[in-house]
Amino acid sequence: MLYREALNKAIDECMENDESVVILGEDVGRYGGSYRVTEGLISKYGEKRVIDTPIAELSIVGNAIGMAIAGLRPIAEIMTVNFSLLAMDQIINHASKLRYMSGGKMTIPLVVRMPGGVSRQLAAQHSESYETLYASIPGLIVLTASNATYAYNALKWAIKSNDPVIFLEHELLYPMEMDFKEVKDFNPFRAEIVKEGKDLTILTYLKMRYDVIEAEKELKKAGIDAEIIDLNSLRPLDIDTIAKSIKKTKKCVIVEEDHKTGGMGAEVVSQIMENCFYDLDAPVLRIAGEDVPIPYNRKLELSTIPTPDKIVSKILDWKAKNGI
Amino acid sequence: MNRARIEKFYYLMKLGREFELKAKEHYMLGDIAGFLHLDIGQEAVSVGTMQAFDKGDVFTHYREHVLAIARGMEPKKIMAELFGKKTGISKGKGGSMHLFEPRLNFYGGDAIVAGHLPMAVGCAYARKLQNEKAGVFAIFGDGASNAGAFFESINIASAWKLPLMFFAENNYYAIGTHISWVSPFVDLKEKARNYMPTFTCDGMDVCDVYNTVIKAKEIIENGLGPVFIEAKTYRYEGHSMSDAGKYRSEEEMEIFKRKDPIENLKKKAIKLGLVDEEYFNALDAKVEQVINEAVEFAANSPEPEIEEAFEDVFCKECENAIS
């Protein structure tokens, strides 16, 4: 199943089973979805539940919150993470705080889906990974879907949940063919051990998962048995799974596509320091996006984010430097 | 105008004013902290709108004590909230600016200027989908009418013919900035008239506010789309308690104080021979009693436990899944 089809299947089933579920965003209806995630939904559920909005992100999310207040279960689609900055006020000042500042009286069952990350030469205003902006906000749940199984099961969970969920996708994953399975009693907050290993823990999420899997093949040739963990949920973070792995491997690498300074890995390292300091044989290695806006030229673009080659060489250098 | 209506209007406006004067007093005493935005002078708007728009959903800005009272929220629970107490309407976690009561379809208490308007639009969308005729009421000030969220909201509400009443409470000042300094229109209806039917009313006259909302409400209830009402009004107090008031004159204040909504309703009713002075004195006594009880309740209520700071971030099901 294609990754985007898994997302579509989750939305479709939720809309089928619960008529309070609606989806709104730019081109989600008649156009069929910018990345075809919502393809076919309008013909099944009509334009009242598959809502084409103006290009006004603040309103897309603000309207969705109002729908949630009125008892609907809205899914707001933002075309790309960069555009979600226009909706920040509604996401952070409203969605994340309404339950709390009303003393628990307000309930906002809301999903805000958005793809981000470096795609193919879309330049600085369409290529960002701003997950830390959301992962630093109390009152938000931040999930990242790297694969079809998680995308389907976690999105279904998110649509049924009674709190706001930021659901992050990646533009390069949409057309990818992937394994898929339906999971009963799915818990979206658990990290996934993608591959077990004993020498080294590699933490990653979203599209970097695949770069890490590529890199691991080379590491294996160099005699390194790496454990790969996909974080899945960025807020809350599954520190238990991380800590258990580090206890075993004594070494940890974080591979992330966002900018290094203040990036997601910074928070992960902080939690590792608090929880696993005495288990570590070496400082945690962060392999992250460079601290520059994303350039257009393909060669330059690739130079700003981790790639399988870079992941391998940085890990080998780090091991040599630390004598581990 | 009939006796029952006069009683309701007068009682609620007086209750609102005395509530706020008492809140001001307790702010000075240190029982209330943070931002306290008083509605004094603007009671005709809060009471007239809520009496007329008595069903449906309400989204409001942060100058909302009197609106909440007029909607039916208990004054003692609001006072307790202002005091930051456990028994407050938002358990002491919202304060003056964040009063919520879903049972009254009263959704805040929003302290991001114009931030509640997109939510009101979404709620109106849902109500249309659910075939609820009463629609949604959204009140905002002249300051909000300059924000992007306002323009997005009138555009969408109009494009989708949503059952939404935009109520512009024009008190001329966004904190200390006069509307004429920052907008091409002092008459806010000019901003909306290409999008939807607009109405104006005298925001110092509760009967005019009430009648205008009743008239405009018909458009919403008949499924003909949104409406826009502008009421010119005036706040006698500062924007919040920290306002030195350097931006406006005593003369301007006096012009509006002569049109005081409470005093004028009283005079008008007596002049028409509907009721006498004694009638109002009895209502005043009732107001005094309710306010005293509210203060007593707030003062004697316990503080929230520290654990309360960590509650209500997520719902129980999510908390369970996380832990």
Side-chain angles (χ1 to χ4, degrees), chain A residues 48 51-52 56 58-59 62-63 66-67 70 89-90 93-94 99-103 105 139-140 162-163 187 189, chain B residues 89-91 94 100-101 110 112 115 118-119 122-123 125-127 130 152 156 160 309 311-312 314-315 317-318 321:
Chain A
K48 286 181 180 164
I51 308 157
D52 283 320
L58 182 153
S59 283
N63 293 174
M67 292 173 186
D89 169 58
Q90 290 297 326
N93 277 324
H94 298 82
R99 178 185 292 282
Y100 190 83
M101 65 188 189
S102 67
K105 286 201 171 87
L140 293 180
N162 281 328
D163 285 315
N187 188 325
F189 302 119
Chain B
I89 195 79
S90 305
K91 298 191 203 161
F100 294 85
E101 187 45 275
D110 196 295
I112 305 297
M119 298 194 292
C123 185
Y125 186 96
R127 294 312 182 208
Q130 295 158 340
E152 288 189 15
I156 295 173
W160 295 344
E311 294 292 323
D312 303 322
F314 292 122
C315 64
E317 301 85 63
C318 285

Side-chain angles (χ1 to χ4, degrees), chain B residues 230-251:
Chain B
E230 175 179 9
K232 297 257 181 33
T233 184
Y234 205 75
R235 61 171 155 75
Y236 301 169
E237 300 290 324
H239 166 73
S240 67
M241 296 299 287
S242 57
D243 182 346
K246 287 179 188 165
Y247 50 87
R248 55 184 185 175
S249 66
E250 278 301 321
E251 294 74 27

Side-chain angles (χ1 to χ4, degrees), chain B:
Chain B
M1 209 156 54
N2 61 44
R3 210 178 145 112
R5 188 146 293 145
I6 290 169
E7 175 165 332
K8 201 86 191 170
F9 287 165
Y10 180 86
Y11 174 72
L12 288 171
M13 286 198 294
K14 188 77 176 174
L15 188 63
R17 179 160 302 181
E18 294 302 322
F19 179 93
E20 294 209 313
L21 287 169
K22 199 53 101 177
K24 186 180 173 184
E25 192 182 313
H26 283 274
Y27 191 92
M28 303 294 191
L29 290 169
D31 295 326
I32 298 172
F35 287 127
L36 183 70
H37 305 92
L38 300 176
D39 204 33
I40 294 173
Q42 304 183 180
E43 294 91 345
V45 170
S46 299
V47 172
T49 55
M50 288 299 93
Q51 284 296 294
F53 198 93
D54 54 353
K55 299 187 189 74
D57 306 280
V58 176
F59 287 81
T60 171
H61 47 46
Y62 49 85
R63 194 181 302 284
E64 90 283 37
H65 310 141
V66 185
L67 198 77
I69 289 172
R71 184 66 173 184
M73 204 181 277
E74 284 180 84
K76 67 176 186 179
K77 288 194 177 166
I78 305 174
M79 193 63 87
E81 187 61 32
L82 268 47
F83 274 59
K85 295 299 181 70
K86 186 181 178 173
T87 54
I89 195 79
S90 305
K91 298 191 203 161
K93 295 202 281 195
S96 161
M97 299 184 283
H98 306 300
L99 308 174
F100 294 85
E101 187 45 275
R103 277 181 301 180
L104 297 169
N105 291 30
F106 192 92
Y107 309 118
D110 196 295
I112 305 297
V113 171
H116 57 308
L117 299 179
M119 298 194 292
V121 170
C123 185
Y125 186 96
R127 294 312 182 208
K128 189 175 178 180
L129 197 68
Q130 295 158 340
N131 224 357
E132 293 276 351
K133 296 271 180 248
V136 177
F137 174 88
I139 187 167
F140 54 97
D142 43 285
S145 80
N146 298 322
F150 166 77
F151 291 99
E152 288 189 15
S153 295
I154 57 172
N155 178 63
I156 295 173
S158 172
W160 295 344
K161 297 219 172 320
L162 301 181
L164 176 53
M165 181 179 289
F166 289 93
F167 196 100
E169 186 177 34
N170 186 354
N171 67 14
Y172 301 94
Y173 292 95
I175 306 187
T177 300
H178 194 272
I179 182 73
S180 67
W181 307 343
V182 291
S183 163
F185 311 111
V186 171
D187 294 333
L188 305 182
K189 69 173 189 304
E190 292 301 315
K191 300 185 184 189
R193 68 184 174 88
N194 287 326
Y195 294 83
M196 62 191 78
T198 60
F199 299 79
T200 51
C201 59
D202 180 355
M204 304 304 281
D205 179 346
V206 67
C207 298
D208 195 33
V209 173
Y210 176 85
N211 291 331
T212 308
V213 172
I214 292 285
K215 196 160 59 175
K217 199 167 79 155
E218 262 179 51
I219 295 173
I220 289 173
E221 289 174 348
N222 288 324
L224 300 173
V227 294
F228 185 99
I229 303 178
E230 175 179 9
K232 297 257 181 33
T233 184
Y234 205 75
R235 61 171 155 75
Y236 301 169
E237 300 290 324
H239 166 73
S240 67
M241 296 299 287
S242 57
D243 182 346
K246 287 179 188 165
Y247 50 87
R248 55 184 185 175
S249 66
E250 278 301 321
E251 294 74 27
E252 185 180 273
M253 179 80 77
E254 280 314 309
I255 293 170
F256 284 94
K257 281 193 170 171
R258 280 200 290 275
K259 296 198 277 189
D260 185 77
I262 301 174
E263 283 311 306
N264 277 337
L265 177 70
K266 191 170 165 181
K267 272 188 216 153
K268 205 158 114 188
I270 292 172
K271 200 170 158 196
L272 287 170
L274 293 168
V275 283
D276 58 13
E277 187 84 35
E278 278 304 305
Y279 177 82
F280 289 109
N281 292 343
L283 288 177
D284 288 351
K286 195 170 146 195
V287 164
E288 199 184 333
Q289 193 194 336
V290 173
I291 298 303
N292 288 341
E293 280 168 13
V295 172
E296 202 175 319
F297 176 78
N300 295 332
S301 287
E303 296 266 332
E305 286 84 31
I306 292 295
E307 290 72 30
E308 190 54 52
F310 304 93
E311 294 292 323
D312 303 322
V313 177
F314 292 122
C315 64
K316 288 282 166 279
E317 301 85 63
C318 285
E319 288 289 1
N320 291 341
I322 289 166
S323 58

